[in-house]
Amino acid sequence: MRRIRVGGAWAAQIALAAFFGFVGFMKMTAPMADLARHHAWVAGLAPPVARVVGASEMLCAALLLLPGLLPGRDRWIGGAAVALIANQCVAILFHALRGDLGGAIGQNLLLIALLGLVAAVRLRN
């Protein structure tokens, strides 16, 4: 059973790292107008703040994978997952305040569920 949990956590970590690596890179480099057009929740923030959010997402994406290559680093992975859960809760709040509750909330909730799985498995070890 443990192998299934850890295997599922790895699958989720890889998918989440790819997702947050991509969106983090876009938040760091894309013009704010492009972010607004794609309904990125950071579009309403000051550009330097949006860039910091993007950098933090890229860092957490790396932390979802890199510590797993070293034994005994599950807490780093779990911590990155918890940080990204907080990120998604803030994203939901921003979407709600802007009245943008369409498809974004479903995506945020799915990400929170996957991140919760990763955190639960990695922080349990």
Side-chain angles (χ1 to χ4, degrees):
M1 187 66 163
R2 182 184 176 336
R3 289 177 65 159
I4 293 172
R5 278 195 319 264
V6 172
W10 265 111
Q13 285 168 233
I14 292 167
L16 289 163
F19 176 80
F20 282 106
F22 172 74
V23 299
F25 179 78
M26 294 306 293
K27 289 173 187 165
M28 280 185 57
T29 61
M32 294 303 285
D34 287 350
L35 294 175
R37 191 170 37 256
H38 294 290
H39 303 285
W41 67 272
V42 296
L45 300 175
V49 176
R51 305 306 184 204
V52 168
V53 170
S56 71
E57 289 176 346
M58 288 184 65
L59 174 63
C60 286
L63 288 175
L64 285 173
L65 296 179
L66 297 179
L69 302 176
L70 304 169
R73 301 285 191 239
D74 286 348
R75 293 203 182 279
W76 286 81
I77 298 168
V82 169
L84 288 168
I85 288 171
N87 169 285
Q88 290 304 294
C89 290
V90 171
I92 288 172
L93 177 64
F94 270 74
H95 285 299
L97 290 174
R98 289 196 315 224
D100 180 23
L101 296 176
I105 299 297
Q107 174 183 306
N108 298 129
L109 294 175
L110 174 63
L111 291 169
I112 287 170
L114 290 172
L115 291 162
L117 165 79
V118 170
V121 170
R122 296 306 181 175
L123 293 175
R124 178 181 289 170
N125 292 339

